[in-house]
Amino acid sequence: MTDDALGSTPLVDEAMKKAAVAWVSVSGGPALALWCAPLEGALLVVTGPGEQAAPGLADATEAQVTLRGDHGGRIVTWPARVSRVQPGTEAWDTTAPLVAAKRLNASGPTADLVARWAADGCAVNRLTPAGTPLAGADLSADAQAEPPRATPAVRATRKPFRLHRVRRR
């Protein structure tokens, strides 16, 4: 049964509770794998300097979110309403520390991380379900694999190192 006020379903709610990574697409762009934290019927994603890059998400009003199931495959894709939690607000004071506490590999205490997010202009984005999700047979059957994007982080392939000379007979 769908809750029309939230645009959520039990499948979306359950998938969000278990989500650690969400594939988020903004304005029809490529879906990016982003670390997320579920909180109060929404996914929270932190982007910005020193955090994950998600071009356009901080300024977007809507996005597409895809979540995977326990088997590792895609189980649901849903439209999301994107809102930004602003530093200095009551929402920031309650939300940012909870998200920071779930941030793996963060250096320093949670309070320092929250202060850095505010000082560096990082965005804490709230992704709230806002429409009819696609699940099961409604999902496309293709793998949605894309060729690797161009990157400056490439290495030249070198010949294997040998300790001795190989003689031919």
Side-chain angles (χ1 to χ4, degrees):
M1 185 164 242
T2 302
D3 180 354
D4 293 329
L6 295 175
S8 187
T9 65
L11 175 63
V12 172
D13 290 340
E14 192 63 28
M16 279 196 299
K17 287 178 192 174
K18 295 181 177 184
V21 174
W23 283 261
V24 180
S25 174
V26 178
S27 302
L32 301 172
L34 301 174
W35 167 82
C36 62
L39 184 65
E40 298 173 356
L43 289 179
L44 293 151
V45 176
V46 181
T47 60
E51 296 297 326
Q52 56 199 351
L57 183 61
D59 300 321
T61 57
E62 36 185 59
Q64 286 289 109
V65 178
T66 299
L67 298 174
R68 65 182 178 90
D70 293 336
H71 66 308
R74 176 176 40 138
I75 61 167
V76 65
T77 297
W78 45 274
R81 184 175 43 254
V82 180
S83 59
R84 186 170 177 175
V85 180
Q86 297 293 335
T89 63
E90 184 179 330
W92 176 274
D93 294 340
T94 58
T95 304
L98 294 174
V99 175
K102 294 182 180 186
R103 170 75 162 78
L104 298 177
N105 301 326
S107 60
T110 300
D112 291 350
L113 183 59
V114 171
R116 183 179 63 80
W117 287 348
D120 291 349
C122 290
V124 176
N125 304 289
R126 179 184 298 275
L127 306 176
T128 309
T132 306
L134 298 176
D138 295 335
L139 291 170
S140 62
D142 66 337
Q144 295 188 329
E146 294 183 18
R149 295 184 196 111
T151 176
V154 295
R155 294 184 296 173
T157 305
R158 299 181 184 186
K159 293 181 180 180
F161 176 75
R162 293 187 182 173
L163 292 174
H164 61 281
R165 219 173 163 186
V166 177
R167 294 185 188 186
R168 296 180 189 210
R169 294 182 181 195

